[in-house]
Amino acid sequence: MFVDQVKIQVKAGKGGDGSVAFRREKYVPNGGPAGGDGGKGGSVVLKVDEGLRTLMDFRFHRIFKAKSGQNGMIKGMYGRGAKDLYIDVPQGTTVTDAETGEILGDLIDAGQELVVAQGGRGGRGNIHFASAKNPAPEIAENGEPGVERTIQLELKVLADVGLVGFPSVGKSTLLSVVTSAKPKIADYHFTTLVPNLGMVRLDDGRDFVMADLPGLIEGASQGVGLGIQFLRHVERTRVILHLIDMSGVEGRDPFDDYKKINAELATYDPLLLERPQIVVASKMDMPDSSDNLEKFRAKLENDDTLKHIPEVMAISSLTHQGLDALMQKTANILEETPAFATLTDRIQEKKRAEYGFEADDDKPFTLTRDSDAVWILSGEKLEKLFKMTNLEHDESMMRFARQLRGMGVDDELRARGAKNGDLVRIGDFTFEFVE
């Protein structure tokens, strides 16, 4: 089964907790702190596997968790860091944060890696907090939480040339003749339900990848027929071969077919029509094909809505008429055509331009008041700091209170009217505000 879109949950490992420990050796009085650091949590990393062609493996396995780091130990011993969790994905996978819509990366090169969830760093042991004023601190950090997110994986086939056109115009037959691919071929519409790839190798040593994309129909950009789910696969192609059935056996007008398919491409992404496109007149071995081709050429030349008249090449996959010339022409155009930015690339670039690169001036916390008059502190930075605080030791709690004061929490509470003894809540933890 061909699967080209899936959502998965990834969770990186938490860093190991730092240790509170002291040297206790014979003949060594006042040995001092000796608590080791926690190990780093494992990250979740996507890696391109050339052998994969679909996202089918993710259909029943959607939750991926890396292991946490080991806690720090006595005698200054560090905890062991966890190994990263690698997940194989096919080439051409676009990775998007499902909640924010941010594009995290585009995996198109063999062996390319992308960290989608960073593992938490290990907490520091009390050996790091010793000072002249406090030579024996009972302070240690908990490990940093690992990143947890839901991501969208979207596969867009990597092909130099894309075959587009109405169903049953001969796309699969052409692919089977010029490559070693074996797509399903039958005399009914929508025979091809998934994109098929094949490698075209020319006698002069040049080669390129060709994709037979499932048949489009009018309204495909709005989800009609196989719909928009396969239009995305046209995005990465550099040259479009637009196949049109010149036999007329379907009872449709070839020129009307040409206009309708281009309209669907333009609705999905207007810049697709700016890519090199060759109109391939197929099934020229049929009786009425030559007459229909002449009428088609005449309509092209007299159409004032076209910015430029595309080149038309006649072929017959059955008799191999015109195939060598078509492949040579396609290879020549590919040599002159660079890769295009995909629609998702341009959307992401637009978002960056709108957002800009100004520094984040937002406060590291937000303060609200609950219906029961309890002050609620929240915010990613503050909550991470709280999770990394070891609540078992008073000195760690006092350090956390100093950190809150440094962030401006005390001043904000006073400005909002908080009084001595008011309750303040962070997550499930509640404490009193003391002036």
Side-chain angles (χ1 to χ4, degrees):
M1 181 178 292
F2 183 81
V3 178
D4 60 355
Q5 274 188 315
V6 69
K7 282 185 181 180
I8 63 173
Q9 293 179 348
V10 293
K11 183 177 182 179
K14 170 183 172 294
D17 297 339
S19 172
V20 174
F22 298 91
R23 291 181 61 187
R24 304 195 184 278
E25 301 176 34
K26 195 174 183 180
Y27 308 120
V28 182
N30 303 322
D37 298 348
K40 177 183 177 297
S43 299
V44 180
V45 185
L46 300 184
K47 184 176 182 180
V48 172
D49 183 348
E50 292 181 274
L52 296 178
R53 291 290 179 268
T54 173
L55 298 172
M56 178 64 184
D57 292 345
F58 298 99
R59 189 168 186 188
F60 303 107
H61 186 189
R62 295 177 182 265
I63 300 176
F64 297 85
K65 295 181 180 180
K67 293 185 177 180
S68 298
Q70 187 180 13
N71 293 338
M73 294 168 282
I74 61 174
K75 298 182 179 180
M77 292 187 291
Y78 285 24
R80 183 187 298 274
K83 293 183 179 180
D84 293 338
L85 175 62
Y86 284 87
I87 304 173
D88 292 332
V89 296
Q91 282 182 286
T93 301
T94 299
V95 187
T96 308
D97 188 302
E99 295 180 1
T100 65
E102 177 189 1
I103 297 177
L104 304 177
D106 211 2
L107 299 170
I108 58 176
D109 299 321
Q112 184 178 351
E113 297 180 3
L114 174 67
V115 178
V116 292
Q118 184 70 46
R121 69 170 177 85
R124 292 176 294 175
N126 68 333
I127 196 171
H128 292 279
F129 298 98
S131 64
K133 291 183 178 180
N134 188 6
E138 292 188 1
I139 302 175
E141 291 178 333
N142 289 339
E144 180 184 21
V147 174
E148 183 176 3
R149 68 192 344 161
T150 299
I151 59 175
Q152 171 96 22
L153 302 182
E154 185 177 35
L155 176 61
K156 300 173 186 175
V157 296
L158 289 174
D160 302 305
V161 179
L163 305 179
V164 301
F166 269 82
S168 300
V169 295
K171 299 186 298 297
S172 298
T173 305
L174 174 60
L175 184 72
S176 68
V177 172
V178 299
T179 73
S180 299
K182 304 296 181 186
K184 183 179 180 181
I185 301 172
D187 189 19
Y188 56 84
H189 289 184
F190 298 108
T191 308
T192 303
L193 297 177
V194 302
N196 292 303
L197 295 176
M199 178 69 74
V200 178
R201 301 184 186 277
L202 304 182
D203 295 337
D204 57 12
R206 294 183 294 177
D207 56 34
F208 55 87
V209 178
M210 179 181 288
D212 162 26
L213 303 174
L216 304 177
I217 60 174
E218 188 176 9
S221 56
Q222 279 75 45
V224 178
L226 294 178
I228 200 172
Q229 61 175 320
F230 292 119
L231 270 170
R232 75 175 68 92
H233 296 295
V234 186
E235 285 188 30
R236 297 191 193 275
T237 60
R238 290 188 287 152
V239 176
I240 296 175
L241 299 187
H242 188 159
L243 270 70
I244 298 177
D245 181 2
M246 287 295 166
S247 68
V249 294
E250 295 280 342
R252 297 193 309 265
D253 177 28
F255 185 73
D256 192 41
D257 285 359
Y258 168 75
K259 298 282 284 186
K260 286 179 179 178
I261 293 298
N262 275 351
E264 294 306 319
L265 295 177
T267 302
Y268 178 74
D269 182 3
L271 294 184
L272 286 178
L273 295 186
E274 296 182 9
R275 301 186 183 187
Q277 182 178 132
I278 301 175
V279 175
V280 181
S282 66
K283 303 186 182 181
M284 292 304 296
D285 54 287
M286 300 295 284
D288 297 330
S289 295
S290 297
D291 293 339
N292 291 334
L293 178 58
E294 292 303 318
K295 296 177 183 177
F296 179 81
R297 290 182 189 273
K299 290 181 179 179
L300 272 182
E301 294 174 358
N302 296 324
D303 191 339
D304 297 332
T305 63
L306 297 177
K307 293 182 179 180
H308 62 275
I309 299 176
E311 183 168 359
V312 181
M313 301 188 71
I315 68 161
S316 169
S317 299
L318 186 63
T319 64
H320 293 198
Q321 169 194 344
L323 294 185
D324 289 341
L326 176 62
M327 295 300 104
Q328 290 289 342
K329 181 66 175 179
T330 303
N332 293 340
I333 296 176
L334 279 172
E335 290 181 346
E336 305 168 356
T337 306
F340 292 90
T342 66
L343 180 61
T344 50
D345 293 335
R346 297 198 302 276
I347 291 174
Q348 185 66 7
E349 192 63 35
K350 183 179 179 182
K351 285 183 178 179
R352 291 195 191 101
E354 292 174 350
Y355 178 77
F357 295 94
E358 296 83 3
D360 185 7
D361 295 328
D362 293 338
K363 292 182 179 180
F365 66 92
T366 57
L367 179 64
T368 59
R369 198 163 195 184
D370 204 353
S371 57
D372 56 359
V374 176
W375 297 97
I376 307 297
L377 279 172
S378 59
E380 183 178 352
K381 293 180 182 178
L382 183 142
E383 290 174 3
K384 179 184 290 188
L385 193 65
F386 174 71
K387 290 177 181 178
M388 295 182 67
T389 299
N390 189 330
L391 303 179
E392 296 179 359
H393 298 278
D394 292 341
E395 287 190 36
S396 293
M397 289 297 299
M398 294 300 295
R399 178 172 177 263
F400 179 61
R402 292 193 298 271
Q403 289 172 324
L404 291 182
R405 191 176 302 117
M407 294 169 65
V409 173
D410 287 14
D411 294 338
E412 183 72 15
L413 282 167
R414 292 190 189 96
R416 297 282 294 273
K419 297 180 175 57
N420 197 32
D422 281 1
L423 296 180
V424 182
R425 182 181 301 145
I426 302 175
D428 296 331
F429 181 73
T430 304
F431 61 94
E432 287 187 5
F433 174 64
V434 179
E435 287 283 1

